[in-house]
Amino acid sequence: MRSRDRAALARGEEIAAENRLGAQIRDTLGLFRASGFGRRAVLLVAALVAVIGLTAYMQIRLNAWNEPFYDALTRKDMAAFVTQLGVFATLAGILLVLNVSQLWLDQTMKLTLRRGLFRALVRDWMAPGRALRLSRAGKIGENPDQRLQADIDQLADLSAALGIGLFQATLLLGSFIGVLWRKSEGFTLTLAGQIHEIPGFMVWCALFYAAAASWLSWRVGRPLVALRAEESAREATLRFDLVRVSEAAGRIALERGERAETARIETSFAGVVGIVEAVILATANLTWVTAGYGWFTLVAPILVAAPFYFTSDMSIGELMLVAGAFTQVQGSLRWFVSNFAVIATWRATLFRVASFHRAIRAVDRAEADDGAPRIDRREGAARIELSGLHVVTPHVGVRLDPPEISLAPGDRVLLQGGSGSGKTLLFDTLAGLWTRAEGRLAMPAPERVMYMPTRAYVPPGRLDLALCYPEPAERYGRDDMAAALSATGLGHLTGSLAEEGRWDQLLSESDKQCLVFARALLRGPDWLVMDDVLDQLDPEALGRIEALLQGQMARIGVLGIGDGATPSPVFGRVVEIVAEPGSGRPAPQPRRAPEG
């Protein structure tokens, strides 16, 4: 076997191991433990165990109450009847308190699980540069909003509900199976004239009844696991299409693209409809089993015990006690039957969350192992130095002429290239967002450099937070903020610093870039690396920013990237960007986890 085949086989075995249920549960538990909510979850579990245990004990007491109550009815004993009503009121009152307590603990546990999973997954996802790398990793990196919001919410909710339900069913099974076994003593069957006593007859009937229904539910409902996973994926795609159209509504209107977008959205919705119809059909098939099982359960214990009731001196009270114990036992055993559809949804959601988490953790290693050349990058240098830089993609290759460039503190250099010359790719390489390149690059420490892309990022929320991003507004004084806004021509916004808004939509592209220059005034970097930033400014703003760079910000070194169509007095030297044909080969893709 060739080494490539052995590597592919090993990778296939690794993926198969990662897809096993046990591996996914361990991975998700590890994720939750890393969140810091483990201690709180342990305390909640302990409280739930205590409440559920006490509830099971009180249910045993309530089931035992059936015998004296119905016997009092049979005897028409009014005094005993009233006494038993008092016993019932006491038992029901205690159970009511326990039920409310369990509900509160149940909901709190679900919220704790969601908080823990969300915190840990978001922190992993938002590690420096990781969200960007994941977005390039294929389908697994699409729709992170679905994984982080809907999937985590559903996984936390279902995990708590199924875990509590399974524990409660197991506890009730252990509690009532002994009662049912004892009450089954003396049950006999007459076959061929011979009397046969069957120890625990009612227990065996309950086991057989529940096992048959569980097996049938598994056979009928098995397709739901894959269908639910596909449904979540298609719903996420539809939501993404709707959000994309909402964000680009103005540009779509300018292109008269409403009809094309309608067709695209309807295609996505048709995919959702198709999978939902398949889920409905599979659920309906499963309901034949679960609903039929539920209705027959109403009479099953009476039918099983009836022969013994009519052929022995069993009282109506004993019959009701046995029937109640049988119902509790088979009810605990039918937990799988009743919850198969829920289990299918939980299994599909767990797969999506676990595969997304694995992809987050693996994307760094996968990108490093894809075989592509890596730039020799050094940070912490006293100056910016580029040597033999060569960035190649399937579409364009990027070089610099001259190939050796060195910028001392305060130097101003423009990397000049035309449209399609790979300017943004070069900017991403300088910023460390793109590493598939040859050559050497020395950059100052990250905290000394401020990178300014073509489209300024202005987060929604309060304006002072957008101005100080990513630092908290408390780091800078209001007077400093007002001065920075005034210096960049945005002084009219000073009164709105505390206002909430979609500033990315309220401000023009030129104003957003001016806001970023105001941010630079507050932050005080030693270097600015800009990608076509000055070309985004209107003439008045451009003149103001150029004066600012030559005056108040004169000490700052600037490495700009642009087409040089409008000569700027800011730059003292120009270096040409040389565009070459691309490699013609697909870009190396990182190994990725199975798509969820």
Side-chain angles (χ1 to χ4, degrees), residues 4-78:
R4 182 181 300 176
D5 295 334
R6 285 195 296 269
L9 179 60
R11 180 57 183 159
E13 292 173 349
E14 180 183 344
I15 291 175
E18 291 173 345
N19 285 339
R20 294 192 184 104
L21 177 61
Q24 292 173 0
I25 292 176
R26 286 193 301 273
D27 181 71
T28 306
L29 287 176
L31 178 67
F32 181 77
R33 283 195 296 270
S35 69
F37 282 90
R39 179 180 174 81
R40 179 180 176 86
V42 169
L43 293 175
L44 287 170
V45 168
L48 279 165
V49 168
V51 169
I52 292 172
L54 189 55
T55 300
Y57 171 74
M58 296 308 299
Q59 286 180 304
I60 293 173
R61 293 286 303 274
L62 184 62
N63 186 67
W65 167 85
N66 279 301
E67 184 172 358
F69 178 74
Y70 283 102
D71 283 345
L73 285 175
T74 303
R75 298 192 308 268
K76 298 184 179 182
D77 186 340
M78 187 62 167

Side-chain angles (χ1 to χ4, degrees), residues 377-422:
R377 184 185 182 91
R378 178 170 61 90
E379 292 187 339
R383 54 201 299 146
I384 295 178
E385 296 180 343
L386 291 78
S387 178
L389 185 64
H390 183 207
V391 186
V392 178
T393 74
H395 311 292
V396 65
V398 180
R399 292 183 186 274
L400 297 176
D401 184 20
E404 309 292 329
I405 303 171
S406 179
L407 282 77
D411 282 355
R412 307 288 178 86
V413 174
L414 174 66
L415 306 182
Q416 178 177 288
S419 177
S421 62

Side-chain angles (χ1 to χ4, degrees), residues 312-342:
S312 68
D313 58 354
M314 177 185 288
S315 68
I316 187 69
E318 289 178 307
L319 176 64
M320 297 308 296
L321 186 147
V322 170
F326 181 94
T327 299
Q328 290 285 2
V329 169
Q330 64 83 30
S332 300
L333 291 169
R334 78 172 184 176
W335 178 87
F336 180 80
V337 179
S338 302
N339 290 281
F340 189 89
V342 180

